[in-house]
Amino acid sequence: MTGGRRVRVMVAKPGLDGHDRGARIIARAYRDAGFEVVYSGLHQSPEEIVEAAIQEDVDMIGLSSLAGAHRYLFPRVVELLKENGIDDIIVVGGGIIPEDDIPKMKAAGIKEIFTPGSPLEQIVQWVKDHVTPREV
Amino acid sequence: MSMTFNPKVFGDIEKAEERWRKELEEIFRQHGERLERFSTVSDVEIGRLYTPLDVRDQRYMDALGFPGEYPFTRGVQPSMYRGRLWTMRMFAGLGTAKDTNRRFHVLVNAGQTGLSTAFDMPTLMGYDSDASKARGECGRCGVAIDTLKDMEDLFDGLPIDQITTSMTINPPASVVWAMYIAMAENRGIPRNVIGGTIQNDMLKEFIAQKTFMCPPRPSVRLVTDTVEFGTREVPRWNTISISGYHIREAGSTAVQELAFTLADGIAYTEEALKRGLPVDSFAPRFSFFFNSHLDFFEEIAKFRAARRMWGKIMRERFKAQNPRSWWLRFHTQTAGCSLTAQQPYNNVVRTALEALAAVLGGTQSLHTNSLDEVLAIPTEEAATIALRTQQIIAEESGVANTIDPLGGSYFVEGLTDKMERDAFEIIRKIDDMGGMLAAIERNYPQQEIADAAYHYQRQIDAGEKTVVGVNKYVTEEDVPVEILEIDEELERLQIEKLNRVKSLRDQTRVAECLERVGEACAADTNVMEPVIAAVKAQATLQEVCDVYRSVFGIYRDPGIY
């Protein structure tokens, strides 16, 4: 290793839906790609996610939602990060996100949205291209 | 003890096969075979050709028999679809009870023959619409039910004494069922007349669907309470729908779906037996729920194997005497996870093939997914096309004109036998661990499913498995599909309604009722009567579930990936 730590990524399931197949597959793909992965487990509130992300010093949070509650939950995570004075943890999202919601999510500070059918390699590559370890 | 074929015939077939194989290999040497390896969606390797040699050990009466007769491979009823078609039961739930009631009326008027209710996430998790955890989720992917008033609005104007109702509800199943019973009784319909199903399968929640409140053991205790109560009081109700559907959606193979589902059924049977219930008193009311995925023959084989396996489990393992206890009756839903957001109209075709497999596999009841399900809650138009798909299969295609038309296919029989062997092997492993509860506690099924899901995704990414429109035949243009919008106002309106109900009820009576629920939980006596009394007093869903949580504790996801 030529200095610097590995990228730390948190995969998180906000809200009440239990559809975690995608989140778990992505957590594994990140791990295989050499990132350090923290998986939140299910049924997390935005508050719990942000608190864990801060404690774990992650560089990125990947949110997954399939039950239609992303409109409230995703922006809420960004908002809470800001409230904690954090502007360098990148937030991305995935799941069943209607096309029309994607610009709204991006306007709310979600950097990228991955919808069903996105190849794992593409999702991993995005992290490699956009996320570097934060100064902590 | 007659063999399917005269053994002398096999020698001739073997010789002929040898000749054919040499010729075939010569052709492939020159032109190559289309794929290096042919396998099912579940990655079971498939041979080039199946002949009588593949079923040479099958004894017709032992392996197949006749429909309605043990081991039921060819169907649970003697008449199957010659007598009556399967129940067309579309899963519906959106917004408020009134919104969903409207969708129910549309579907019944379009020819649907059974009702099926989807609840929103807060209801599924035992929260009211005003809980902080419920923010943003109210009415989003199902209907919000907080109190008996909501249940009354949900079934308003529907003939619940004539039509059966399925409710996909698990941790709070006892509460929602109590509301349904109370709603019927308030209408003057006695509990021994109503018919339907509560999903109420908590084991698969820990394995796959991940909707839980309390830890596995008390969760199963609540399920057993409903089984016991249903046996005594609500004899036409299916108290559990043992569900492989979600296991498959979470990424399992077909064999894992089969094995884990039947292992769950074994666990529920053992729990009810521990209560002192005779097996033949409750087993006839167990029902099942399977996924129908895209691999046509693999799915048909799975359904046929499932019936035969459950028959053997009930008769041989649990010594059930009543032939109805041996029946595996099942509902099927086409595979949501097979649908694609890309080129969504292709989903109509996928669903039609999956529905056809379910019918050829002998399902009793079927839900066909809508083409837009991968994007949002279905629109009325998309839900109607999905229902029409079933009606075309039933009444135009001719496949329902004879019973088990693929019985005797060398391939289907060979695959059915293989599914059964492989699934029984997994069940043996679970038995060795001390049963399904113990296996779940060591995360065995969870890890197996995670591995299978990852393997499948890797195969898609590598192009080893084709998904049209996703990794092959990709187009750039966007196909516009109408999306159902859930009104943002809905949450506020539902909370207002909840507050109105709370302000009008007798608070002392509610508190007393909840206390009795808590006493039943702690004393290990059946919770159903106290819960029915509580919901009749307008106790909310969450109030009852909070009692469960306080007595039994809550369960946290171990986060296996």
Side-chain angles (χ1 to χ4, degrees), chain A residues 16 20 24 28 32 71, chain B residues 137 210 451 454 488 560:
Chain A
L16 299 177
D20 58 352
R24 287 184 292 116
R28 199 142 154 178
D32 286 358
R71 287 184 192 178
Chain B
E137 312 244 20
K210 316 286 175 75
D451 290 348
Y454 193 62
E488 304 280 352
I560 300 293

Side-chain angles (χ1 to χ4, degrees), chain B residues 282-299:
Chain B
F282 62 86
R285 300 320 303 173
F286 279 7
S287 64
F288 288 81
F289 174 25
F290 288 110
N291 198 300
S292 191
H293 213 295
L294 264 172
D295 201 292
F296 194 66
F297 293 108
E298 181 171 58
E299 294 306 288

Side-chain angles (χ1 to χ4, degrees), chain B residues 316-422:
Chain B
E316 291 169 16
R317 180 170 179 149
F318 292 112
K319 312 287 180 228
Q321 305 285 314
N322 181 353
R324 292 224 162 192
S325 302
W326 307 337
W327 284 19
L328 179 143
R329 296 167 301 133
F330 66 103
H331 170 74
T332 308
Q333 180 174 340
T334 56
C337 64
S338 73
L339 305 185
T340 65
Q342 295 80 3
Q343 306 176 21
Y345 288 102
N346 296 343
N347 294 334
V348 176
V349 182
R350 292 190 177 98
T351 297
L353 285 168
E354 292 167 355
L356 185 57
V359 168
L360 292 174
T363 195
Q364 271 65 61
S365 158
L366 180 61
H367 166 98
T368 29
N369 288 327
S370 301
L371 70 101
D372 54 356
E373 213 129 318
V374 70
L375 304 164
I377 295 290
T379 60
E380 249 171 54
E381 190 191 16
T384 306
I385 293 173
L387 175 60
R388 295 284 181 254
T389 305
Q390 292 197 39
Q391 291 162 336
I392 290 167
I393 291 172
E395 300 186 45
E396 293 187 18
S397 76
V399 298
N401 289 348
T402 190
I403 300 168
D404 188 31
L406 291 178
S409 148
Y410 311 123
F411 178 40
V412 170
E413 296 299 352
L415 200 54
T416 303
D417 290 352
K418 179 170 169 47
M419 294 285 256
E420 177 178 350
R421 270 195 313 274
D422 293 351

